Every structure is written in C-alpha cells, then in structure tokens.
Amino acid sequence: MRATCICFFMFQIVCITTLFGQGLKIADIRKDFKVGHKDEETCKKHLEALEKYADSPVERGYEAAYHMFMAKHSGNPFKKMGYFKNGKNMLEKEIASNPSNVELRYIRLCIQYYIPSYLGYKGHIDEDKVFLRDNLYKLNDKSTKDLLYNYLKGAKMYTNEELGLLGR
C-alpha cells in the first residue's frame, strides 16, 4: 500500500512538472520578438503558447503582436487581415487598460514603426517614443530593460540625444 501511495505521489509530481514546464517562457518570447515577423515557425510556436497560457497584460500584448506577425505568414488575404485586425484590437485593449505599461508601449511602437502605412496603424509612434524615452528607465527588470533598449537603439528610431535619455 505504501509503495502504491509513493508511486501515485511521484506520478502527480511528474504530471504537474510537465504541465507547468510547457507554459510560457516570456524571456524567449521577448528575445524572439524581433524575428517573429520573419520566421514563421518561431511565430507559430510562440503564438500557440501565448494563446494557451498568456495571463498578464504583457503576455497578452505579445500574443497580440504575434497575431499581427502571423498576417505576414499567411497567404490568404482575408486571413492576413483577420490576424492583423485581431492582434491590433487585442493590443489596443491591453494598452487602454494599462496605459502606463512600458512594455506594451514598446510592442506597439515597434509594430507601428515598421508596418506599411496602408494598414493605417501608425497613429501612436510619436506618443510611444516620448513615453518610452521618459519611462523605460523605470523598469525594474534590468534584463528586460536592456533588451528593449538595445532593440530600440538598433532600430534607429531615436536620435543620439534621445538614446541618452532612453538609456539612463
């Protein structure tokens, strides 16, 4: 009887570990953000995980971004527009609920800065650039702050003077 209980207990631990081990790896999702629009497999992998497990504003913001990235990987024009509109609406909803969230503003800025003008989603670039310049330094997570800063620096969205303020 005791051996059966121990086996059952060990089985439960393995199941729980496996279940939670398949969750989100937000560090990987952040790191791959710059390639999600280029690499379909990376995009699909992260989107599937985010759709299943996203439960914070930032995670839902990345889910929205990866939806928009899927538009580039779809051949069907209706699906393309559906992915894009769905992601845009998701992201705007998260920002409306969390207007001071630095990472959500970063996601929106990066998307708006690079998408084609004909999609009509470029209205917050200046606002988000200023917001990030004035608030990025307030992020408590140094690795996230460094990742965002280095991406923005490499994207050449900011002047050298603005980068100085952004990187403080």
Side-chain angles (χ1 to χ4, degrees), residues 1 14 18 35 48 63-64 76 97 104 107 112 146 153:
M1 178 70 177
V14 169
T18 302
V35 297
E48 286 174 14
E63 179 184 356
N76 180 320
S97 298
L104 291 174
I107 292 167
Q112 287 191 357
D146 290 346
K153 180 180 177 185

Side-chain angles (χ1 to χ4, degrees), residues 9-79:
F9 180 71
M10 293 302 288
F11 175 75
Q12 285 180 327
I13 291 174
V14 169
C15 287
I16 289 170
T17 304
T18 302
L19 180 69
F20 287 110
Q22 294 174 358
L24 288 179
K25 294 181 179 152
I26 194 67
D28 291 341
I29 290 167
R30 282 181 178 121
K31 180 180 62 79
D32 291 341
F33 178 69
K34 62 185 175 191
V35 297
H37 64 284
K38 297 177 193 173
D39 184 342
E40 184 174 0
E41 289 308 309
T42 299
C43 184
K44 283 181 179 179
K45 175 182 78 172
H46 289 320
L47 182 57
E48 286 174 14
L50 287 160
E51 285 177 330
K52 263 187 177 174
Y53 301 107
D55 67 352
S56 73
V58 168
E59 291 167 351
R60 289 188 298 269
Y62 280 109
E63 179 184 356
Y66 280 93
H67 269 277
M68 287 186 264
F69 293 163
M70 277 304 295
K72 187 165 185 177
H73 303 304
S74 177
N76 180 320
F78 295 108
K79 280 188 177 183

Side-chain angles (χ1 to χ4, degrees), residues 10 12 17 25 34 46 60 83 86 89 95-96 101-102 106-107 109 123 126 137 140 143 148 153 155 163:
M10 293 302 288
Q12 285 180 327
T17 304
K25 294 181 179 152
K34 62 185 175 191
H46 289 320
R60 289 188 298 269
Y83 276 123
N86 187 31
N89 291 338
I95 292 172
N101 187 296
V102 171
Y106 159 81
I107 292 167
L109 173 63
D126 293 332
Y137 76 95
N140 293 327
S143 64
L148 274 56
K153 180 180 177 185
L163 282 173

Side-chain angles (χ1 to χ4, degrees), residues 75-146:
N76 180 320
F78 295 108
K79 280 188 177 183
K80 278 182 179 291
M81 195 51 74
Y83 276 123
F84 178 76
K85 284 184 176 180
N86 187 31
K88 174 185 163 189
N89 291 338
M90 290 169 66
L91 184 56
E92 288 302 320
K93 179 181 175 188
E94 286 304 321
I95 292 172
S97 298
N98 305 280
S100 298
N101 187 296
V102 171
E103 203 160 355
L104 291 174
R105 296 292 201 95
Y106 159 81
I107 292 167
R108 182 170 69 182
L109 173 63
C110 293
I111 289 171
Q112 287 191 357
Y113 191 80
Y114 286 110
I115 63 168
S117 296
Y118 66 82
L119 290 171
Y121 190 50
K122 293 213 176 246
H124 299 283
I125 292 173
D126 293 332
E127 171 190 340
D128 289 344
K129 277 180 65 177
V130 169
F131 180 85
L132 288 169
R133 183 197 66 204
D134 295 342
N135 292 284
L136 182 63
Y137 76 95
K138 295 176 185 175
L139 273 179
N140 293 327
D141 181 353
K142 183 174 173 14
S143 64
T144 300
K145 181 172 26 177
D146 290 346

